[in-house]
Amino acid sequence: MIKKHIGNRLVGDMPKIGIRPIVDGRRGGIRESLEEVTMNMARAVAELLSSQLRHSNGLPVECVVADTCIGGVAEAAQTAAKFEREGVGVSISVTPSWCYPLETIDTHPTMPKAIWGFNGTERPGAVYLAAANSAHNQKGLPTFSIYGRDVQDMGDTTIPADVEEKLLRFAKAALAVATMKGKSYLSLGSVSMGIAGCIADEPFFQRYLGMRNEYVDMSEFVRRIERGIYDAEEFERALAWAKANCQPGQDVNSPHLKRSDEQKERDWETVVKMALIARDLMVGNPKLAEMGYGEEALGRNAIAAGFQGQRQWTDHFPTGDFMEAILSSSFDWNGIREPYILSTENDTLNAVTMLFGHLLTDAAQIFADVRTYWSPEAVKRVTGKQLEGRAAGGVIHLINSGPAALDGTGCMTKNGEPAMKPFWEIEEHEVEACLKATKWCPAVDFFRGGGFSTDFLTKGGMPVTMARINLIHGLGPVLQLAEGYTVDLPEDIHDALDKRTDPTWPTTWFVPNLTGTGAFRDVYSVMATWGSNHCALSYGHIGADLITLAAMLRIPVSMHNVSADRIFRPSLWSAFGTSDPESADYRACAQLGPLYG
């Protein structure tokens, strides 16, 4: 039985959700008649969120309900003090009635906020909701407005489906914001091959994400390898696991460039040590303290990291592909556990995008080059065959040598269909299937130091979302995303197309959902509009969740194919225009500025 590792490997407690029951403070009959129904409303929300949500590390989400209903500023202050003591990072206010907005709203400057105003007619919470939204907006404190479509009776403790959807979407995105705050991004090396996304833009990390930047030169891997600064027992166990589970793939190098079996054996030892060292650099390892390396044992409290690799490392040492792929997966020699977010080429912006997707889905992510758009005409010319089904309008070839998580094979299932799942839902046979579907190929000729690349083909039929953060001069960060599906191509078509690039790398064939307009009028337009050479691929159609998260961080969304009825942003956004939400998003984010100033 493979062990599942649930727990927090970073410094700091997991953020909690604070529930604020708001009440009409007038005593002498009014407040007294509302106390119980208001507190029951708060408890119902707490029960919903704690039962439906987990943190990405598998720990349960905890909700903290205010000690009393909040009828005025004193009780608001008492609740704020309790939330600070309890480590609350997300605020949700609820009320079934009219209350005094300025005296009861949450005025924390950076905490994500939502208000559910009960849609009832006896003492309409919607009136408070509107007034409280107005107060928040006037103070520059965006809040997400939740208002059920249908009128309910006073005392009804059920949460309507549309309200539940918004509560869950808000809470998951807000927890992502709170989880990132105070953590580190660790650059292992610097800029790879002149890729701008590798630049660690500290103002972006600090002002938008509340994170700090840490830097370690790649020579630290050499030092730790040569001096044995890693758990030797774990290394032997990890190496044995790799030899038993990592199937060798084809060696496509010319005969004079092929490495000997002895060299490949040494390469495996090196890449396994690299995986241990990268993990230790990110989150620390108490075993190192026992060995006399107390400083190294602490790690960098890194929630995400990136490895430069090319070219200074890969011209001389084995590639980081095994390290990146296995750490990014949901399992290794220690069992089933939360994926690490580790970006190839130290692409900091793709690492952040992967982090967003991971915190929203709890699952592993696929890092990929947005390599090629294959039109139906080009496929017909090259293969003599016609694309069919979802692929009939053309496909985008997503491929990269290293950090595509093995979960990306699609060998896990949900309801009998290919999937990528939170690690606590993964079964032992699914781990075995992912490993069986992956080959480890000797690195190609331009990786002069050797190493091994992951090679797999993602199963078709998975709903996925392709996303990317880009930094734009004079504008700042923008998010783009495309919901769509992975697709299967006939084997002969896949082979013909795949061999034109690098057949030793993992391939995902992706087709976006088209709207017929703008960037989504056809598959070519999606490829042509994409803002970078990289993307992150998340399981599920999570575009609406990404849009909600981006709004919390004040990052505008430049490109998406999410229907209007699924988009959930703070009520303040409507003040910047309602006929063109995309433009309003830009204006709202520009006016408010980064979440952390």
Side-chain angles (χ1 to χ4, degrees), residues 186-190 216-218 221 278 281 305-309 342 346:
L186 174 60
S187 293
L188 299 166
S190 183
V216 173
D217 191 87
M218 289 185 294
F221 283 85
L281 284 164
F307 180 70
Q308 175 193 333
L342 181 59
N346 191 33

Side-chain angles (χ1 to χ4, degrees), residues 325 328-329 339-344 350-351 353-355 357-358 361 363-370 398-400 402-410 419-420 454 456-459 462-467 486 506-510 534-539:
S328 296
S329 300
Y340 294 85
I341 301 301
L342 181 59
S343 167
T344 198
N350 220 54
T353 313
M354 292 168 68
L355 180 59
H358 173 57
T361 66
Q365 307 292 296
I366 298 175
F367 180 114
D369 286 351
V370 186
L398 303 179
I399 181 172
N400 190 278
L406 272 60
D407 307 52
T409 58
M420 296 167 66
T454 44
F456 62 73
L457 174 61
T458 301
K459 289 187 177 183
M462 283 202 297
V464 291
T465 302
M466 183 172 80
T486 62
T507 279
T508 304
W509 297 109
F510 172 71
H534 290 154
C535 75
L537 208 65
S538 299
Y539 175 77

Side-chain angles (χ1 to χ4, degrees), residues 222 226 270 274 312-319 447-451:
V222 180
E226 292 184 351
T270 299
M274 289 170 65
Q312 287 78 10
W313 181 271
T314 56
D315 278 359
H316 186 61
F317 294 105
T319 69
F447 293 123
R448 300 169 186 171

Side-chain angles (χ1 to χ4, degrees), residues 61-204:
V61 169
E62 295 183 54
C63 293
V64 177
V65 179
D67 291 333
T68 67
C69 288
I70 301 169
V73 66
E75 289 161 323
Q78 291 164 4
T79 299
K82 178 180 182 178
F83 285 2
E84 185 173 0
R85 291 192 305 271
E86 294 279 350
V88 167
V90 178
S91 168
I92 299 178
S93 299
V94 301
T95 187
S97 70
W98 163 255
C99 314
Y100 292 2
L102 288 174
E103 298 180 17
T104 57
I105 61 172
D106 177 3
T107 57
H108 192 289
T110 60
M111 189 180 297
K113 304 169 184 58
I115 304 174
W116 174 25
F118 187 79
N119 186 0
T121 55
E122 294 91 340
R123 291 186 179 274
V127 178
Y128 172 80
L129 174 63
N133 283 336
S134 175
H136 277 286
N137 295 344
Q138 190 167 333
K139 289 177 173 290
L141 299 170
T143 188
F144 287 77
S145 175
I146 301 175
Y147 178 56
R149 176 175 292 273
D150 298 318
V151 172
Q152 294 178 262
D153 299 327
M154 181 65 77
D156 184 351
T157 58
T158 60
I159 301 178
D162 59 330
V163 172
E164 179 177 315
E165 180 182 5
K166 288 184 176 179
L167 285 169
L168 290 170
R169 176 161 294 147
F170 165 81
K172 193 61 177 173
L175 284 169
V177 171
T179 300
M180 289 186 285
K181 185 179 180 182
K183 306 302 190 302
S184 303
Y185 178 85
L186 174 60
S187 293
L188 299 166
S190 183
V191 175
S192 173
M193 300 185 297
I195 298 172
C198 307
I199 300 170
D201 188 272
E202 292 211 359
F204 166 62

Side-chain angles (χ1 to χ4, degrees), residues 91 157 231 337 468 574:
S91 168
T157 58
D231 185 339
R337 44 93 179 127
R468 168 75 184 188
S574 64

Side-chain angles (χ1 to χ4, degrees), residues 3-10 14 55-59 179 279 283 303 326-332 335-341 355 358-359 362-364 407 421-424 426:
K3 183 177 180 180
K4 295 184 181 180
H5 299 269
I6 291 175
N8 182 14
R9 61 195 178 206
L10 296 169
M14 301 309 298
H55 294 288
S56 61
N57 57 22
L59 291 174
T179 300
R279 181 204 62 197
V283 302
I303 196 171
I326 204 66
L327 290 180
S328 296
S329 300
S330 299
F331 50 84
D332 59 19
I336 300 173
R337 44 93 179 127
E338 181 184 11
Y340 294 85
I341 301 301
L355 180 59
H358 173 57
L359 293 175
D362 304 319
D407 307 52
K421 305 195 294 190
F423 75 90
W424 57 85
I426 297 173

